[in-house]
């Protein structure tokens, strides 16, 4: 197939009238949204996986001895479910398997017709079966098993899916929605659930199409230029991610700590280890100048002042976090050192180094959904 890539007659825009070419940017925008969506989902899963490892390591030998025989170390690994086996669902599965990487036995897909995965892409279906990924059609069974559920369905299918799964959703299960047409308040109502993340992207004209039309998404995310363009603070390629998604990641991580009955002081230390562990050149050798999160960065000053040392963080409604200003909102917008650390962490999680010239640009898009 590589021999055919440069043949003009096989290009998408071959024979297109000049007046219609102005719409080609839509194709690049669609691909850019797909790449950014998969990259951010991968980053999110990497963070959750690393946090679960930190939580597992905090158990003392006594804690481990008191576990039942069914609570094997493998039970601490992140379990991911995907609802929807269309183009986005299949691309996301590939990316999560290879770039997180999620073990195949910890990834499951629920789709209306599992056999169509084979009809439309037999090689991918064979790959799933060989690796041990389960594909079936039982949404409620999937959400009862998973720690994270990715909604990759059509907006017209969502009400039925939500009615199927809402009674099986555990409080700690994180629902990550790619259904752009359905806003957060509607999702909360349909699912009767608040532990929901929904990335919001804003598109702008006048930016170069950098999204690599002839590359697989996994290969694209190994290109340093394109990967830096997917950074949460970057407007490159004409697509910006609303910073409220990043706030949601922090509070989702705190909820994971709360679900594991981790007191707020150790949980705060985990936030520093998880999000501020990759340093830039300004940190110095001893890291003395590195920023550190404080309790008041996540809760109000009054609440922080009166919180006993042994108490857990409160349970945060992620739906509210993404719709309102939080103590973390201004901290992310005004603290350049924190933003630099987060951008370095993001790139490092994909195995590349952020260049010194790359300046963080904050998306201040409205949080209204």
């Amino acid at each position: 197939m590589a021999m055919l890539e440069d043949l003009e007659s096989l290009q998408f825009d071959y024979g297109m009238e000049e007046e219609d070419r102005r719409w080609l940017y839509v194709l690049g925008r669609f691909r850019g949204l797909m790449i950014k969506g998969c990259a951010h989902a991968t980053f999110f899963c990497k963070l959750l996986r690393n946090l679960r490892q930190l939580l597992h390591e905090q158990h003392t030998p006594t804690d481990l001895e008191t576990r039942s025989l069914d609570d094997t170390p493998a039970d601490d690994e992140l379990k991911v479910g995907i609802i929807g086996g269309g183009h986005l669902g299949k691309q996301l599965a590939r990316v999560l398997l290879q770039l997180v990487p999620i073990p195949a036995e910890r990834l499951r897909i629920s789709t209306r017709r599992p056999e169509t995965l084979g009809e439309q892409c037999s090689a991918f279906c064979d790959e799933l079966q060989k690796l041990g990924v389960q594909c079936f059609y039982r949404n409620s069974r999937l959400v009862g098993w998973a720690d994270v559920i990715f909604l990759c369905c059509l907006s017209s299918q969502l009400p039925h899916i939500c009615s199927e799964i809402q009674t099986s959703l555990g409080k700690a299960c994180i629902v990550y929605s790619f259904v752009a047409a359905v806003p957060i308040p509607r999702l909360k109502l349909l699912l009767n659930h608040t532990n929901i993340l929904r990335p919001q992207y804003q598109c702008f004209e006048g930016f170069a199409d950098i999204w690599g039309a002839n590359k697989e998404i996994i290969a694209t995310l190994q290109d340093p230029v394109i990967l830096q363009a997917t950074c949460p603070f970057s407007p490159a390629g004409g697509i910006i991610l609303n910073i409220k998604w990043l706030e949601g990641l922090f509070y989702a991580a705190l909820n994971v700590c709360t679900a594991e009955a981790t007191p707020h002081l150790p949980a705060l230390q985990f936030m520093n280890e998880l999000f501020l562990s990759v340093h830039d050149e300004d940190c110095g050798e001893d890291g003395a100048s590195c920023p550190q999160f404080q309790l008041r960065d996540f809760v109000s000053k009054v609440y922080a002042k009166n919180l006993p040392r042994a108490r857990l963080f409160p349970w945060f409604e992620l739906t509210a976090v993404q719709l309102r200003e939080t103590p973390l909102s201004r901290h992310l917008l005004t603290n350049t050192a924190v933003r630099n650390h987060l951008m370095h962490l993001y790139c490092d999680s994909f195995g590349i180094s952020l260049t010194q010239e790359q300046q963080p640009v904050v998306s201040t898009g409205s949080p209204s959904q």
Side-chain angles (χ1 to χ4, degrees):
M1 291 299 296
M3 298 172 57
L4 305 178
E5 286 183 0
D6 296 327
L7 290 180
E8 182 181 356
S9 60
L10 294 181
Q11 300 305 305
F12 176 80
D13 57 346
Y14 179 75
M16 184 176 289
E17 297 292 336
E18 192 62 34
E19 63 181 15
D20 294 328
R21 288 181 178 272
R22 63 192 179 96
W23 297 108
L24 286 175
Y25 80 93
V26 176
L27 183 64
R29 178 175 294 180
F30 169 78
R31 180 168 172 80
L33 286 169
M34 177 82 71
I35 291 169
K36 278 207 168 189
C38 287
H40 298 152
T42 299
F43 180 60
F44 171 63
C45 286
K46 283 175 177 280
L47 288 174
L48 285 190
R49 180 199 61 186
N50 293 343
L51 176 58
R52 293 175 73 89
Q53 290 175 351
L54 289 173
L55 289 167
H56 175 69
E57 291 168 3
Q58 82 165 344
H59 288 295
T60 64
T62 302
D63 294 327
L64 296 176
E65 289 174 4
T66 57
R67 288 186 172 194
S68 70
L69 294 177
D70 292 332
D71 293 333
T72 62
D75 292 322
D76 291 318
E77 293 184 15
L78 185 67
K79 295 178 289 188
V80 177
I82 297 174
I83 294 181
H87 183 61
L88 174 58
K90 288 187 287 189
Q91 293 290 343
L92 181 62
R94 285 194 183 97
V95 170
L96 295 181
L97 283 169
Q98 294 195 38
L99 297 186
V100 175
I102 298 291
E105 64 273 13
R106 313 302 280 186
L107 176 66
R108 297 179 184 179
I109 301 175
S110 177
T111 179
R112 286 184 301 171
R113 293 192 298 165
E115 69 277 4
T116 63
L117 288 173
E119 294 173 3
Q120 296 176 4
C121 189
S122 59
F124 177 62
C125 186
D126 291 342
E127 176 187 348
L128 287 179
Q129 293 174 342
K130 290 176 181 177
L131 291 175
V133 176
Q134 294 187 34
C135 297
F136 48 79
Y137 177 42
R138 192 174 173 185
N139 296 328
S140 59
R141 170 186 164 193
L142 183 66
V143 302
W145 169 82
D147 301 308
V148 177
I149 289 291
F150 287 99
L151 294 178
C152 301
C153 57
L154 299 175
S155 57
S156 60
Q157 299 168 342
L158 192 63
H160 176 68
I161 289 173
C162 290
S163 67
E164 286 184 309
I165 69 176
Q166 65 169 246
T167 57
S168 301
L169 271 173
K171 182 179 181 180
C173 181
I174 301 171
V175 177
Y176 192 114
S177 176
F178 280 110
V179 188
V182 181
I184 287 176
R186 178 64 173 164
L187 281 170
K188 177 182 176 181
L189 182 65
L190 287 172
L191 288 169
N192 191 27
H193 193 66
T194 62
N195 217 27
I196 301 170
L197 278 175
R198 176 183 173 270
Q200 184 182 17
Y201 299 96
Q202 293 178 291
C203 299
F204 299 90
E205 296 184 18
F207 286 82
D209 182 2
I210 63 171
W211 301 112
N214 295 322
K215 290 184 179 180
E216 292 287 337
I217 289 184
I218 292 173
T220 299
L221 289 176
Q222 294 170 341
D223 182 326
V225 173
I226 293 179
L227 185 60
Q228 288 187 20
T230 69
C231 282
F233 297 111
S234 174
I239 302 171
I240 295 179
L241 172 66
N242 194 305
I243 196 175
K244 299 300 289 184
W245 173 85
L246 194 56
E247 290 182 47
L249 260 62
F250 279 93
Y251 286 103
L254 289 175
N255 281 349
V256 172
C257 293
T258 299
E260 292 293 321
T262 304
H264 73 275
L265 290 178
L268 188 61
Q269 181 58 36
F270 288 151
M271 293 300 101
N272 286 310
E273 292 182 34
L274 190 66
F275 289 98
L276 302 177
S277 58
V278 179
H279 308 291
D280 58 27
E281 295 177 3
D282 295 332
C283 291
E285 293 183 4
D286 58 357
S289 60
C290 291
Q292 291 286 300
F293 290 117
Q294 307 296 324
L295 187 56
R296 63 180 178 272
D297 294 327
F298 299 103
V299 296
S300 69
K301 293 180 180 179
V302 173
Y303 191 94
K305 183 178 179 180
N306 295 287
L307 187 62
R309 293 177 63 87
R311 287 286 297 274
L312 312 179
F313 271 103
W315 188 265
F316 297 102
E317 293 190 1
L318 301 188
T319 50
V321 165
Q322 295 165 90
L323 294 173
R324 306 171 189 165
E325 186 170 333
T326 69
L328 187 60
S329 301
R330 183 156 296 279
H331 192 62
L332 290 179
L333 287 172
T334 60
N335 195 314
T336 302
V338 168
R339 296 201 305 270
N340 285 339
H341 274 73
L342 293 175
M343 291 191 73
H344 278 83
L345 171 68
Y346 180 85
C347 291
D348 182 77
S349 70
F350 288 93
I352 71 168
S353 298
L354 189 63
T355 62
Q356 183 73 15
E357 294 76 17
Q358 181 81 16
Q359 296 296 323
V361 179
V362 178
S363 166
T364 55
S366 170
S368 61
Q369 304 289 314

